[in-house]
Amino acid sequence: MLNVNMIHISPWSATEGLFAAAGALLKKDGYLFTYGPYKLDGEFTTESNRAFDRSLRERDPAWGLRDVDEVTELAREAGLVLRSRHDMPANNFLLAFQRH
């Protein structure tokens, strides 16, 4: 499964639904890849991401950059584990979660 640029521009409940669906639909060892901007250890990785988060939350308080740790915990609850994190252009990350 591939999810691109959704987690930060939707309410948390949409991310919960994404991971619940991945947990239910992926076969053993299947992957969910997510791409987009994230916070690391509760911190913005750049000032531009901080400004982007602020602009998202001004449009909708339910939107905003999520922390990799909170997304990883949600994945764990759905039976997935974070296998890798890759730095990508424009201050984004690719996260690879595997069903176990």
Side-chain angles (χ1 to χ4, degrees):
M1 295 176 75
L2 175 64
N3 178 274
V4 176
N5 286 330
M6 180 209 84
I7 291 175
H8 61 287
I9 56 169
S10 61
W12 184 245
S13 60
T15 303
E16 291 172 327
L18 170 67
F19 280 91
L25 297 173
L26 287 173
K27 295 179 180 176
K28 184 180 183 318
D29 298 326
Y31 277 87
L32 166 63
F33 298 96
T34 67
Y35 175 89
Y38 292 94
K39 293 188 286 185
L40 298 177
D41 299 319
E43 300 293 328
F44 294 100
T45 57
T46 64
E47 284 303 312
S48 63
N49 274 0
R50 181 186 308 277
F52 183 45
D53 179 77
R54 186 173 33 254
S55 73
L56 290 172
R57 291 180 189 278
E58 287 171 359
R59 284 184 258 174
D60 189 322
W63 294 2
L65 275 65
R66 313 300 180 185
D67 194 276
V68 170
D69 289 340
E70 64 185 352
V71 174
T72 299
E73 175 59 24
L74 188 59
R76 186 195 61 74
E77 293 169 5
L80 290 89
V81 63
L82 179 63
R83 291 290 183 211
S84 60
R85 183 186 82 214
H86 306 272
D87 293 346
M88 301 297 285
N91 305 314
N92 290 299
F93 294 99
L94 176 71
L95 307 180
F97 297 95
Q98 187 177 29
R99 179 88 165 92
H100 57 90

